[in-house]
Amino acid sequence: MKRTLGTCYYPEHWPEDMWEKDAARMVEAGLTWVRIGEFAWGKIEPREGEFHWDWLDRAIDVLGRAGLKVVLGTPTATPPRWVVNKHPDMIAVDVDGKPRKFGSRRHYCFSHEGFSAESRRITEKVAQRYGKNPYVAAWQTDNEYGCHDTVISYSDAARLAFRDWLRNAFNDDIDALNAAWGNVFWSMDYADFDDIDLPNLTVTEPNPAHALAFRRFSSDQVVQFNREQVDIIRAHSDAPISHNYMGRITDFDHYKVGRDLEIATWDSYPLGFLEDRVGADAERQRKFARQGDPDFQAFHHDLYRAVGRGRWWVMEQQPGPVNWAPYNPAPLPGMVRLWTWEAFAHGAEAVCYFRWRQAPFAQEEMHTGMLRPDSADAPAIIEARQVRDELVDAPEVQAAQAPVALIFDYDADWAWAVQPHGAGLSYFGLVFEHYRALRRAGLSVDILPPDTREFSGYVAVFAPGLMHMPDDLKAALNAAYAQVVLGPRSAARDAHFSIPNPLPPAFPDLDVTVTLVESLRPDSPMTLSGGGAFAGYREELSGEAETVMTLTDGRAAVKRAGHVTYVGGWGDDAALDRIVAMTCEAAGVPVMDLPDGLRTRATATERFWFNHTDSEITFDGRTIPAAGVLREAR
């Protein structure tokens, strides 16, 4: 698959006499793709049933005749005011019972049938008109599901839909639900599904089984909403369909949404994410303020490669300062090029920059583009042209299976969110810190969904924090050739959030039992003999499996039997580095000790080196400039 570039364009924001010039400049910059239309519902249908297609017909024609391929978005993320007036209860409701208001975007509840019908109707109209248009080469459903905390809604529509979802899940057997949820506790038994409310505004925490079920329901609503649009588009078009996911948005199961799509895309904003999503401390935020975290983008590249079953893009790549983070610095010169090549190194088919021209009005007027508001070149287009020139002799995308796999499970993230057991503890954070450790060791990583049962080709598989582990997953991991690393909290709950008996992890051929769990104060880590510490979370381990790491007081910290290792705590960087090194030694995989900010990634034909620092780095005989990329043939 050829590596390509693109951009996001809003022809409705600009006079028509600019469109042809814009299209020509896009082509000159080496762009192939241009995404349009995802926020244009009000321009297409300003009043119910009154459609204005001419401007969009002309825009697609101008872009296509210039040689660009159009990604056309369904405009459902921005329902116009008249839709809200028609369905005033379509607005999502937050956890405190407050309705969200019209005036920005994503102002809808996934469970509202009236809005869902409007969504299907506008999608049908767009697909009918452009499904056979030769210039429309791909589609995007909606925009950034989950952004702005918009998956979980506590509306009346959600309440009614949740009850129906539970009836289906429990085969209309309220006694089965009561038993599964442990509703005998605190006299929470229900006589009928119609008695069940949403798990918010309770005096103290709601039943965790109730809260987890509502998370699963909310995710399924997104899956259904997306599938309805996909089915409509497919009836009119053979072009591939995508959705643009976001960074560290875990409120819905991206794998399930992705099963209905040909391509997974995501929106990469390294500097904005460093400030509000990575979880880096102040010192690290300062060090990488103009480069972004060295691992956060790579993690999502690997995640969305899994979501897309091998096919994925960056639909929105940060081109300069954005408008929405706590602080919005400009990237270090060279970083836009580095981010682009980093995506290609992880298998991206396309990298599209957001946006073409900086808007001089409304909410995103402080969000830079490839062009300034006056149409002069901004720094991003200069670096895009450099990538354009470098792509001329670059090989096509040739993915290679990584030696190491890391399982990521959205359901586990919900379970941790429902019951973190300690302030600041999250499943995403735990998995991401394992990913960092693997990358520090110079390893390429594949992220796998939790329904994977075939692990051939991997020498090591990590599954930390996988709260519920079905028996067939345990059996598949036990039968795998790979070294397997579990814990903490792996297999800690059953499907309905009860502690299983026998106690966790109850893993075949691994005589380990978690007999006690505790969360730790940030200022009270428990040190390990030989270096490192458990910080945040620790488990007391018993059993006959070999103890391979201990706390300094002699208690077991890590146990192993055969090819399976159980880690009884949340390791800090030093502890995780030891665990990765120990695992890779057992697997026969060499590791590196990369300097902070230097990362590497291997494909079938190339090895890439990325310097995320503001200084030149020399490592193992090679020199990588600040904010630089080094490509080597394999």
Side-chain angles (χ1 to χ4, degrees):
M1 185 73 68
K2 184 180 179 181
R3 296 160 169 156
T4 53
L5 302 174
T7 193
C8 305
Y9 187 51
Y10 300 91
E12 66 269 29
H13 295 175
W14 311 106
E16 285 198 32
D17 61 10
M18 297 176 67
W19 295 355
E20 287 192 6
K21 296 175 184 177
D22 282 342
R25 290 179 74 179
M26 292 176 193
V27 172
E28 183 277 331
L31 308 186
T32 298
W33 296 94
V34 56
R35 185 194 66 178
I36 67 172
E38 78 275 14
F39 297 134
W41 191 343
K43 183 74 171 176
I44 293 170
E45 190 184 14
R47 285 164 289 280
E48 183 175 9
E50 180 183 314
F51 291 95
H52 295 190
W53 299 109
D54 288 356
W55 71 272
L56 187 53
D57 293 346
R58 292 192 296 273
I60 292 173
D61 188 62
V62 166
L63 296 167
R65 283 190 293 104
L68 294 160
K69 298 180 180 180
V70 172
V71 180
L72 185 57
T74 63
T76 48
T78 54
R81 180 74 226 196
W82 66 260
V83 177
V84 179
N85 290 342
K86 182 179 179 181
H87 304 283
D89 58 345
M90 65 174 266
I91 299 295
V93 176
D94 72 13
V95 68
D96 296 318
K98 299 175 183 176
R100 315 295 283 269
K101 294 172 64 177
F102 179 84
S104 59
R105 64 182 190 180
R106 302 215 56 77
H107 40 274
Y108 67 81
C109 174
F110 284 99
S111 297
H112 193 276
E113 180 50 40
F115 175 69
S116 293
E118 299 288 354
S119 170
R120 294 190 295 270
R121 185 184 58 82
I122 190 62
T123 298
E124 180 85 39
K125 294 290 187 181
V126 173
Q128 282 177 339
R129 191 167 189 91
Y130 300 110
K132 301 302 181 185
N133 189 300
Y135 299 139
V136 175
W139 294 83
Q140 175 183 294
T141 57
D142 202 89
N143 184 81
E144 295 180 345
Y145 294 141
C147 195
H148 320 303
D149 298 318
T150 51
V151 166
I152 300 173
S153 171
Y154 296 88
S155 67
D156 289 339
R159 178 184 298 105
L160 296 174
F162 181 47
R163 290 168 178 168
D164 288 341
W165 185 90
L166 290 171
R167 285 188 180 93
N168 183 65
F170 287 95
N171 296 312
D172 208 22
D173 186 344
I174 195 65
D175 292 332
L177 180 146
N178 286 323
W181 287 10
N183 282 339
V184 66
F185 194 82
W186 285 354
S187 296
M188 292 182 295
D189 287 284
Y190 296 106
D192 191 276
F193 285 94
D194 287 339
D195 292 337
I196 300 173
D197 210 329
L198 301 181
N200 68 320
L201 301 177
T202 52
V203 173
T204 183
E205 63 184 288
N207 186 336
H210 186 173
L212 179 60
F214 184 61
R215 293 266 184 154
R216 290 170 174 166
F217 154 79
S218 299
S219 173
D220 283 355
Q221 297 299 90
V222 181
V223 175
Q224 177 61 30
F225 182 87
N226 184 77
R227 182 176 297 141
E228 290 172 353
Q229 293 198 15
V230 169
D231 289 346
I232 291 168
I233 294 169
R234 285 230 174 89
H236 300 283
S237 175
D238 296 326
I241 308 171
S242 68
H243 177 75
N244 59 326
Y245 306 96
M246 281 286 284
R248 200 166 183 167
I249 295 290
T250 57
D251 290 337
F252 67 97
D253 191 325
H254 295 37
Y255 301 120
K256 289 184 178 179
V257 170
R259 290 171 192 161
D260 295 321
L261 304 169
E262 284 81 21
I263 303 170
T265 79
W266 84 286
D267 297 347
S268 174
Y269 291 93
L271 305 189
F273 291 156
L274 177 67
E275 294 287 347
D276 76 346
R277 301 194 190 189
V278 172
D281 60 26
E283 180 182 353
R284 195 161 186 83
Q285 287 185 10
R286 180 193 57 77
K287 181 174 182 177
F288 293 103
R290 297 188 183 276
Q291 303 99 285
D293 183 86
D295 300 302
F296 195 76
Q297 283 64 243
F299 177 88
H300 287 86
H301 295 338
D302 291 337
L303 173 62
Y304 290 122
R305 189 174 64 252
V307 170
R309 302 176 307 284
R311 293 198 66 186
W312 73 278
W313 301 7
V314 174
M315 187 61 84
E316 298 182 17
Q317 178 60 65
Q318 179 173 357
V322 297
N323 62 299
W324 46 263
Y327 307 100
N328 296 287
L332 200 68
M335 286 309 302
V336 172
R337 170 178 173 261
L338 183 151
W339 296 329
T340 304
W341 274 112
E342 183 180 48
F344 287 144
H346 287 258
E349 297 175 10
V351 176
C352 303
Y353 305 101
F354 185 90
R355 52 193 289 161
W356 174 243
R357 181 186 291 103
Q358 182 175 348
F361 49 76
Q363 284 91 329
E364 292 181 350
E365 62 186 350
M366 295 298 290
H367 193 304
T368 49
M370 301 184 78
L371 305 182
R372 300 184 330 204
D374 64 358
S375 296
D377 286 355
I381 198 170
I382 298 170
E383 295 191 29
R385 291 186 185 118
Q386 184 179 355
V387 176
R388 170 202 65 191
D389 295 341
E390 293 166 337
L391 285 172
V392 171
D393 61 356
E396 294 187 354
V397 177
Q398 296 188 43
Q401 182 172 320
V404 176
L406 179 64
I407 297 176
F408 183 81
D409 179 17
Y410 289 93
D411 194 84
D413 189 81
W414 307 332
W416 277 74
V418 166
Q419 195 177 76
H421 197 229
L425 301 182
S426 75
Y427 173 76
F428 183 97
L430 178 69
V431 174
F432 182 51
E433 290 190 16
H434 279 73
Y435 182 82
R436 283 185 186 279
L438 294 167
R439 295 254 295 167
R440 285 195 297 269
L443 297 166
S444 297
V445 181
D446 284 344
I447 293 179
L448 302 179
D451 61 357
T452 302
R453 298 295 182 268
E454 173 55 56
F455 299 99
S456 60
Y458 294 109
V459 299
V461 179
F462 289 75
L466 201 62
M467 191 83 80
H468 173 58
M469 297 185 71
D471 288 343
D472 62 338
L473 175 56
K474 292 181 180 180
L477 287 169
N478 194 53
Y481 171 79
Q483 294 290 313
V484 175
V485 180
L486 309 173
R489 296 192 92 176
S490 296
R493 296 290 184 273
D494 69 10
H496 296 292
F497 218 86
S498 291
I499 299 172
N501 189 10
L503 293 177
F507 197 88
D509 304 324
L510 177 69
D511 188 359
V512 172
T513 299
V514 175
T515 60
L516 177 145
V517 299
E518 63 175 336
S519 56
L520 307 175
R521 289 175 54 89
D523 58 2
S524 303
M526 301 183 72
T527 56
L528 296 167
S529 297
F534 285 160
Y537 196 83
R538 187 196 74 90
E539 300 171 333
E540 191 80 23
L541 305 181
S542 69
E544 296 301 315
E546 178 188 5
T547 298
V548 293
M549 288 187 189
T550 63
L551 298 170
T552 51
D553 64 10
R555 285 181 288 177
V558 180
K559 282 180 164 287
R560 179 167 62 191
H563 70 294
V564 181
T565 299
Y566 191 91
V567 181
W570 187 318
D572 63 7
D573 286 355
L576 288 173
D577 288 344
R578 289 180 62 197
I579 292 165
V580 167
M582 176 185 70
T583 303
C584 288
E585 181 180 11
V589 177
V591 297
M592 307 176 194
D593 184 14
L594 294 181
D596 191 25
L598 181 66
R599 295 292 184 262
T600 184
R601 168 75 185 174
T603 71
T605 57
E606 299 169 280
R607 177 170 287 278
F608 292 82
W609 299 86
F610 299 99
N611 181 357
H612 293 262
T613 77
D614 57 3
S615 301
E616 180 182 277
I617 291 179
T618 298
F619 177 78
D620 197 23
R622 58 179 64 81
T623 298
I624 305 96
V629 180
L630 178 65
R631 295 160 51 207
E632 298 174 340
R634 294 188 72 193

